[in-house]
Amino acid sequence: MNRYNRSDKPDWVPPRSIKLLDQVRERVRYLHYSLQTEKAYVYWAKAFVLWTARSHGGFRHPREMGQAEVEGFLTMLATEKQVAPATHRQALNALLFLYRQVLGMELPWMQQIGRPPERKRIPAVLTVQEVRTLLSHMAGTEALLAALLYGRGLRLGHSDVSTTMIYTHVLKVAAGGTSSPLDSLALHLPPG
């Protein structure tokens, strides 16, 4: 425990600022959250208020809003904006912070709001035998380039071939003699 997180600090102190976003900033700073957290929470509080103003026909203070508006905002993020689960959780945490820490309202229904699960990322990886089969069906320049890319562990999505060639040759020169797969390739290619 450090001097900023002392237990003698009150849990909730009413904000001194008048404007809502200034109250969010004040409370974040009082609790010594990071600057990035402050920016994110202010952004989501502002986005929530603006969204409810557009969708419900006019500005209202979050104290006057309830479960329907919060769930509508979070549903809009998930369905219309199709934000990532981490972004959705950040928006939810910002609204929880707004209601609990800034407005001092404990809303039991906020705990029941679902948090989206992490997306499963399945890598597209081929086995060695699948790569051999794939390369055996190629011929000529395509086979040579595919073998080169596979041998260097490169992906076409990460770099194009000309950049790869320049990069490996720059590494050879800068490292003072590091061999490159292009060196052996250059011996077998006709000049030109």
Side-chain angles (χ1 to χ4, degrees), residues 1-11 30:
M1 185 172 291
N2 62 33
R3 64 188 173 117
Y4 298 115
N5 295 329
R6 296 189 308 260
S7 60
D8 61 337
K9 219 178 194 185
D11 285 340
Y30 176 78

Side-chain angles (χ1 to χ4, degrees), residues 8-168:
D8 61 337
K9 219 178 194 185
D11 285 340
W12 191 80
V13 176
R16 295 179 185 166
S17 303
I18 296 172
K19 296 181 179 178
L20 179 68
L21 297 181
D22 290 338
Q23 291 176 357
V24 173
R25 285 186 194 93
E26 180 183 326
R27 187 67 182 160
V28 167
R29 291 174 187 172
Y30 176 78
L31 294 172
H32 299 283
Y33 286 11
S34 72
L35 180 61
Q36 289 81 10
T37 303
E38 177 184 333
K39 288 178 181 179
Y41 283 8
V42 167
Y43 172 82
W44 287 116
K46 183 177 181 180
F48 173 62
V49 170
L50 292 175
W51 178 81
T52 53
R54 280 192 300 271
S55 62
H56 293 86
F59 286 98
R60 291 185 353 209
H61 196 277
R63 192 180 309 276
E64 301 167 7
M65 296 182 227
Q67 184 174 1
E69 288 84 1
V70 172
E71 286 180 346
F73 177 70
L74 294 171
T75 301
M76 178 273 303
L77 290 177
T79 57
E80 292 174 29
K81 300 288 184 186
Q82 296 181 346
V83 298
T87 306
H88 191 273
R89 277 193 301 279
Q90 185 184 60
L92 174 59
N93 288 332
L95 293 179
L96 284 170
F97 181 85
L98 174 67
Y99 277 97
R100 282 188 188 149
Q101 300 292 335
V102 178
L103 302 176
M105 298 172 65
E106 191 60 45
L107 305 172
W109 52 264
M110 289 288 271
Q111 293 303 323
Q112 276 75 40
I113 292 179
R115 296 173 188 252
E118 281 293 323
R119 294 180 186 157
K120 300 272 185 196
R121 292 194 175 117
I122 302 172
V125 178
L126 301 175
T127 65
V128 174
Q129 185 56 42
E130 290 171 331
V131 171
R132 284 189 185 128
T133 304
L134 185 63
L135 291 176
S136 71
H137 286 62
M138 296 181 174
T141 308
E142 289 84 12
L144 184 62
L145 289 174
L148 178 65
L149 288 170
Y150 175 71
R152 291 293 293 157
L154 301 173
R155 310 288 185 273
L156 285 177
H158 296 159
S159 176
D160 64 327
V161 176
S162 60
T163 306
T164 304
M165 289 179 184
I166 293 168
Y167 181 72
T168 54

